[in-house]
Amino acid sequence: MFSIYHDLVIKVSKEKVFDAITNPTHLNNWWTLKSSGKPILNSEYNLNFTDEYNWFCKVSKVEKNKYFYLSMTVSSEDWQSTTFGFELKETQNGTLVKFSHLGWKKCNSEFRNSSFCWAILLNNLKRYLEKGDIIPFEERN
């Protein structure tokens, strides 16, 4: 199995980061086109990017303001059965976000592209929380 890892510091509280990674309104401002779900263990999230990429996942691990993980249930073949999530650690400079996307079966072009896209999206999350920047969905990579 293959895994993606990214760490970054966001200069806001853990509470604000947790809200931005779990609240569908915030997810739509930095990641999805439209989404739904609640950060409750085993609840379902819908992550919609286009009609073709209308994916579903379940909350597999959650503790408010500490960590949040989703396991894919309906997605592309490469993403299927993977789990991604965020661990939040308070630091002097804000919140350390430890991101992981685990369980990839192949180190193929989709894996490499997803790692690159996650880096961009996590930077979008940082810009959204620190500066209030919302990049229109059509302009997100």
Side-chain angles (χ1 to χ4, degrees), residues 110-135:
E110 180 63 21
F111 170 81
R112 291 187 298 276
N113 183 62
S114 292
S115 180
F116 177 76
C117 288
W118 273 123
I120 292 170
L121 289 165
L122 292 168
N123 190 57
N124 290 351
L125 170 64
K126 179 179 175 72
R127 288 176 50 194
Y128 173 62
L129 287 171
E130 291 180 352
K131 300 177 182 177
D133 291 351
I134 298 173
I135 298 169

Side-chain angles (χ1 to χ4, degrees), residues 56-111:
F56 293 85
C57 48
K58 283 196 171 187
V59 177
S60 55
K61 189 176 174 185
V62 61
E63 186 173 336
K64 188 172 182 171
N65 303 324
K66 290 189 177 182
Y67 51 82
F68 179 68
Y69 287 88
L70 295 167
S71 295
M72 299 306 300
T73 57
V74 176
S75 64
S76 68
E77 181 181 342
D78 288 309
W79 279 59
Q80 194 62 30
S81 300
T82 65
T83 297
F84 65 91
F86 308 79
E87 289 188 24
L88 309 178
K89 306 277 185 199
E90 194 171 320
T91 71
Q92 283 184 313
N93 300 323
T95 301
L96 171 62
V97 178
K98 298 180 75 141
F99 173 84
S100 61
H101 192 160
L102 311 174
W104 290 80
K105 294 176 185 151
K106 301 175 190 171
C107 183
N108 58 11
S109 62
E110 180 63 21
F111 170 81

Side-chain angles (χ1 to χ4, degrees), residues 21-72:
I21 62 175
T22 61
N23 181 317
T25 300
H26 292 298
L27 289 173
N28 298 341
N29 286 333
W30 68 270
W31 184 30
T32 54
L33 175 61
K34 56 186 173 182
S35 62
S36 63
K38 294 183 191 256
I40 300 167
L41 189 62
N42 294 319
S43 70
E44 183 175 73
Y45 270 74
N46 174 219
L47 307 172
N48 180 278
F49 305 95
T50 64
D51 289 342
E52 183 181 351
Y53 295 96
N54 187 29
W55 293 356
F56 293 85
C57 48
K58 283 196 171 187
V59 177
S60 55
K61 189 176 174 185
V62 61
E63 186 173 336
K64 188 172 182 171
N65 303 324
K66 290 189 177 182
Y67 51 82
F68 179 68
Y69 287 88
L70 295 167
S71 295
M72 299 306 300

